[in-house]
Amino acid sequence: MRPRRVRWLTRRGGRRPDEGQHERELLVDRLTRLQELTAHLAVAGSVDEVVDTAVHMLQHAVGARAASFCRLDGDTIRIEGSIGYPDEITERWCEFALAEDVPLAEAIRTGQPVLLPARDDVLRRYPHLASSMVWGESTAVAALPLRGESAVFGAIGVSFKDERDFDPALVSFLVAATTQCATAYERALSFESERSARHAAEAANRRLEFLSSATAILSTSLDPAATMQRLAELAAPALGDWCAVHLVDGEYAHPVAMASGDPEATATVRDLSERHPIPISAPAGLGAVVRTGEPIVLRSVTLDAVRASTQEGELVDLLTRLRAITIIPMSFQGRVLGTMTLSNTTDREMTDDDIALAGELAARAAQAVTNARLYQDRARVASTLQASLLPTSPTIIPGVDVATRFVPAAEGLDVGGDFYDVFRLGTVEDLTPTWAIVIGDVRGKGADAAAITGIARATIRATALDERSPAGMLQRLNQVLLATAGDQPGFIGADEPRFCTACVITVTPSADAAELVVASGGHPLPYVVRADGRLEEGGRHGALIGVLPSPDIHDIRVHLGPGDAIVLYTDGVTERHDGARFFDEVGLEQVLAGCAGRTASETARAVEDATRGFAPSPPTDDIALVVARVPDPAGIGTIDRQSLPEGDHAAAVARQFVARTLELQGAAALVERAVLLTSELVTNALLHGLPTVHVDVLEVPDGYRIAVSDEHPRLPTPRQASRDDEHGRGLLLVEHLADRWGVDPRPPGKSVWFELRTTAA
């Protein structure tokens, strides 16, 4: 008799009596495990904790033999964490290509779960894995994508010792668990990124504040020794226990500054160092840094290393007492001017960030030394000649982009026959002023030519007090030169002609335009470069100045619209030659034809570079250039604006705004200079303007413009501060550190701005 077959009779939708209870218990268990997973993920504070929690709890929740968590990095999949896999598997599959034909890669590529209930299913789908995977008697595999807010960024894999029926309830549980893991992972990743960015920003702000303070300190004195002493006092103890600064003079590096926390010891060491200057020929140490321009970092000081740098017994004894030494070159424009040495007498360690910061500080110190030396050299030349060939104030015309270039025939000495000038007509109270641009060339070179240049510039400036006609100014200059010639008109001495050529232009700016009046006395006519690329000659040829009693000179009007420029030059440009081959007007026109749309500075630089590069030898004649251009508003775009509060903290608000805006634009390299110069302009606006001050960050074709606007109509007037003055260098700092700067009338007040390039000049 056959055994009776038991058959469960069910109604529609019915189950075996115990089946529903089992599924309910299973559902409750999985919900509990999902809640536990969610709770543990919620308190995971890092990416590593999220990964560790995910693989361990998922393995336990579904009874898996092993589990893994992987992340997509470009076209590579990296295993972030795993549990239960043999070592040979984790080593082989620690990372693999997205294109790899394996379950995890397929889940990431498709964004869909890969569910393989049995070993046969795995090998049927991925037969090439038979020799590279370790299976039990039978194994099921599931790979589920980790989906973030915008895309799949990884996958979770689980494998089972036994075959597994991936029923809808299990799949739902796995999908829900994977979703929780993905959310927790992105949250932890975001938190870590924010924390890292915050720490980096805090470090950058500290570094920026330090460098800003250093730059301000280094710029307050034009005495190199005083500047270097302030540098040493700033660096010690900020970067090291001791700081010594040496400057190269001939074959030796001499100590010029020293600082530490022990003034008595500092004085003793400085005296010893001054008695034993270090030769730059020394095979190691400071001498090697001067010769190579590369820093030396000794994290531990040995006797052999010290003896390689100096043989002086007293210095050897001193240096071997130090725990660590770092020697940084002070370089400017490829030349090592000296060194900054930082040393520690304690266990204090100098980090890589400290060394990098010291390098930036040394670079600023080198620039400060160079500027101080140049200032002293030019001051000596000016006092010797008792004349000025170039304007002492910045060449600024409100509403007009102005750039100048002067290349003397004798490099490094601003003495010659060529000159230019840019100055304002009328008084500073005049809200619609006219400006004058002058360029000229005096016969001859040297001190005599410089003296006549001084007469010419002074005469034109004096005449401009009551004469608005450029032709009238040149007629007056002609009379003065004839009168000062004495009994021999037209000659300096018995056989030396006494005359000059000159071109005077008056400029009256208006909204996006400028009206010009041009007069030339024997000087090459300026070129007008139109915005569309057309070239025109501006003005009309006139007679030489200082030769005829009544030279024929005419006023000619020229209109400049948006993007139009006028280029004034001396014959040092067109007469530049290489043998019998001259640069001449054809070469100049070819350069200017490519300058349409360029800034005044770019145009002047293009002409100077082309002129210099025309011949390998240095120029034999002075080169003077003045370019005036009406800016094209279409090339300037506003990024952001900040209104400043009243009070002492306005400058700090402005600095933070400019730094944050430039960093968001990806221009962090400009932040240091921008913050320093913004502070100077805001301080000037608060001191000399009205309380309502705005700061704008604008984008220009080659960088960024920072503009500080106030409601006072008076335009800023730069002045030369004395060596000991604590104030008065604000606009001079802007002039020297900015790539371009200017001032624009903005009724009822004005806007003072500077620009920093993002590309090399």
Side-chain angles (χ1 to χ4, degrees), residues 88 108 329 339 388 551 592:
E88 60 266 33
I108 295 174
T339 62
S388 175
L592 294 179

Side-chain angles (χ1 to χ4, degrees), residues 420-442:
Y420 70 85
D421 204 358
V422 180
F423 59 93
R424 178 177 177 171
L425 306 180
T427 65
V428 295
E429 285 76 17
D430 186 357
L431 299 184
T432 56
T434 297
W435 295 72
I437 301 176
V438 182
I439 194 166
D441 186 359
V442 173

Side-chain angles (χ1 to χ4, degrees), residues 28-160:
V28 170
D29 179 72
R30 286 174 176 169
L31 287 175
T32 301
R33 294 181 184 276
L34 184 60
Q35 289 174 348
E36 291 177 351
L37 174 64
T38 303
H40 281 79
L41 289 173
V43 297
S46 67
V47 167
D48 290 341
E49 291 178 6
V50 169
V51 172
D52 187 68
T53 298
V55 296
H56 281 80
M57 295 199 71
L58 267 180
Q59 181 201 35
H60 177 69
V62 297
R65 183 193 69 174
S68 63
F69 188 114
C70 69
R71 175 181 58 86
L72 180 63
D73 183 8
D75 292 328
T76 301
I77 298 173
R78 306 186 192 280
I79 300 298
E80 297 282 289
S82 64
I83 185 174
Y85 290 103
D87 291 342
E88 60 266 33
I89 296 300
T90 57
E91 291 174 2
R92 162 63 180 86
W93 296 97
C94 61
E95 66 177 44
F96 50 96
L98 177 62
E100 192 87 41
D101 193 17
V102 293
L104 288 173
E106 183 175 343
I108 295 174
R109 291 195 305 268
T110 63
Q112 299 296 323
V114 176
L115 306 173
L116 304 167
R119 180 187 182 194
D120 290 341
D121 297 312
V122 175
L123 297 181
R124 187 180 306 110
R125 193 160 180 174
Y126 309 102
H128 61 286
L129 296 181
S131 61
S132 61
M133 297 187 69
V134 178
W135 307 96
E137 294 180 358
S138 62
T139 302
V141 173
L144 298 102
L146 290 164
R147 186 178 300 277
E149 291 185 358
S150 59
V152 173
F153 66 85
I156 286 180
V158 290
S159 62
F160 302 85

Side-chain angles (χ1 to χ4, degrees), residues 451-463 472-486 488-491 498-500 545-549 551:
I452 300 176
T453 298
I455 293 174
R457 291 184 65 245
T459 298
I460 292 175
R461 281 200 172 226
T463 302
M473 297 179 198
L474 292 177
Q475 292 284 3
R476 188 76 60 86
L477 174 61
N478 185 72
Q479 295 172 2
V480 171
L481 290 183
L482 289 176
T484 56
Q488 295 186 3
F491 291 85
R498 182 189 183 93
F499 63 85
C500 73
I545 306 299
V547 176
L548 301 175

Side-chain angles (χ1 to χ4, degrees), residues 579-608:
R581 188 172 62 95
F582 282 77
F583 186 69
D584 63 34
E585 287 79 3
V586 175
L588 178 58
E589 290 174 1
Q590 289 175 347
V591 174
L592 294 179
C595 290
R598 294 190 181 185
T599 65
S601 179
E602 291 171 336
T603 299
R605 187 166 60 248
V607 174
E608 179 188 350

Side-chain angles (χ1 to χ4, degrees), residues 574-585 614-617 620:
T574 52
E575 293 184 4
R576 176 82 161 126
H577 61 91
D578 182 14
R581 188 172 62 95
F582 282 77
F583 186 69
D584 63 34
E585 287 79 3
F614 186 76
S617 59
T620 57

